[in-house]
Amino acid sequence: MTAGLQSDYPPESEWTTDDLDALPEDGRRRELLDGVLLMSPSPTRTHQTIAGRLMAALDEDCPDGYDVTQGVEVRINRTRSFIPDVLITTSTAAAREPSKYEPHEVVLAVEIVSPSTRSIDRVLKPALYAQAGIPFYWRIETEGGALEVVTYRIDAVNEVYTETGRWTKFVDTGEPFPINLPISRITPRVR
């Protein structure tokens, strides 16, 4: 069934990561939630500027043992796969030059909240990233023009995130490595 899949029409049963792999490389952002295909609209200039600036800023302070990238798929299982906006992985995992990471290779997943993904980024993805064991999660809020970065650490026993800070001027945290990031550095210019 998967080898012949050439469009976004659903397979006979639930979508799997094999079905994702069978789709043509056309630049579309496809994620899986329990066998349901999720396709997001193209990100806005603001969204992409924040992601690019955040990746560059984190990469400057990134110590050996870690790697910073953006928009690379995290395969949680056969029917669940997400693409964080920015992520920090182990350098060992990054050395593979992967197009997909496993959850245990991801140290931090970052989602930038867009109007079309509010519930997914605020509720669904943090719950599922925590369940998958990803140690840290950041959510970047953009409503109203001013950015707020909300940081979380996993409570591994209960598989949920605990909020560790709400940052509007600086992100000042020691997790997953020492970070002192002015919010102005990731804020897009007003045009």
Side-chain angles (χ1 to χ4, degrees), residues 6 74 78 130 150 177:
Q6 295 297 316
V74 178
R78 271 183 62 72
V150 187
F177 50 80

Short mmCIF file of all heavy atoms in Angstrom, two decimals, residues 6 74 78 130 150 177:
data_model
loop_
_atom_site.label_atom_id
_atom_site.label_comp_id
_atom_site.label_asym_id
_atom_site.label_seq_id
_atom_site.Cartn_x
_atom_site.Cartn_y
_atom_site.Cartn_z
N GLN A 6 0.97 8.33 -3.65
CA GLN A 6 1.54 9.47 -4.36
C GLN A 6 0.82 10.78 -4.08
O GLN A 6 1.06 11.76 -4.74
CB GLN A 6 1.51 9.20 -5.88
CG GLN A 6 2.39 8.05 -6.30
CD GLN A 6 3.86 8.33 -6.00
OE1 GLN A 6 4.36 9.40 -6.25
NE2 GLN A 6 4.55 7.35 -5.43
N VAL A 74 10.79 14.53 14.32
CA VAL A 74 11.01 13.65 15.46
C VAL A 74 9.97 12.54 15.35
O VAL A 74 8.77 12.79 15.45
CB VAL A 74 10.86 14.39 16.81
CG1 VAL A 74 11.05 13.42 17.98
CG2 VAL A 74 11.84 15.55 16.89
N ARG A 78 5.27 4.72 15.13
CA ARG A 78 4.81 4.51 13.74
C ARG A 78 3.66 5.42 13.34
O ARG A 78 3.46 5.67 12.15
CB ARG A 78 4.37 3.06 13.53
CG ARG A 78 5.47 2.16 13.09
CD ARG A 78 5.00 0.74 12.82
NE ARG A 78 4.02 0.53 11.76
CZ ARG A 78 4.25 0.62 10.46
NH1 ARG A 78 5.43 0.98 10.03
NH2 ARG A 78 3.30 0.36 9.60
N ALA A 130 6.39 15.31 26.23
CA ALA A 130 6.71 14.84 27.59
C ALA A 130 6.52 13.33 27.68
O ALA A 130 7.36 12.63 28.24
CB ALA A 130 5.84 15.56 28.61
N VAL A 150 8.07 30.62 27.10
CA VAL A 150 7.67 29.85 28.27
C VAL A 150 8.50 28.57 28.26
O VAL A 150 8.49 27.84 27.27
CB VAL A 150 6.16 29.53 28.25
CG1 VAL A 150 5.74 28.86 29.57
CG2 VAL A 150 5.33 30.79 28.00
N PHE A 177 21.55 23.81 28.74
CA PHE A 177 22.88 24.32 29.03
C PHE A 177 22.70 25.79 29.38
O PHE A 177 21.62 26.35 29.17
CB PHE A 177 23.85 24.10 27.85
CG PHE A 177 23.35 24.56 26.50
CD1 PHE A 177 23.40 25.90 26.13
CD2 PHE A 177 22.85 23.64 25.60
CE1 PHE A 177 22.94 26.32 24.89
CE2 PHE A 177 22.39 24.06 24.34
CZ PHE A 177 22.44 25.39 23.99
#
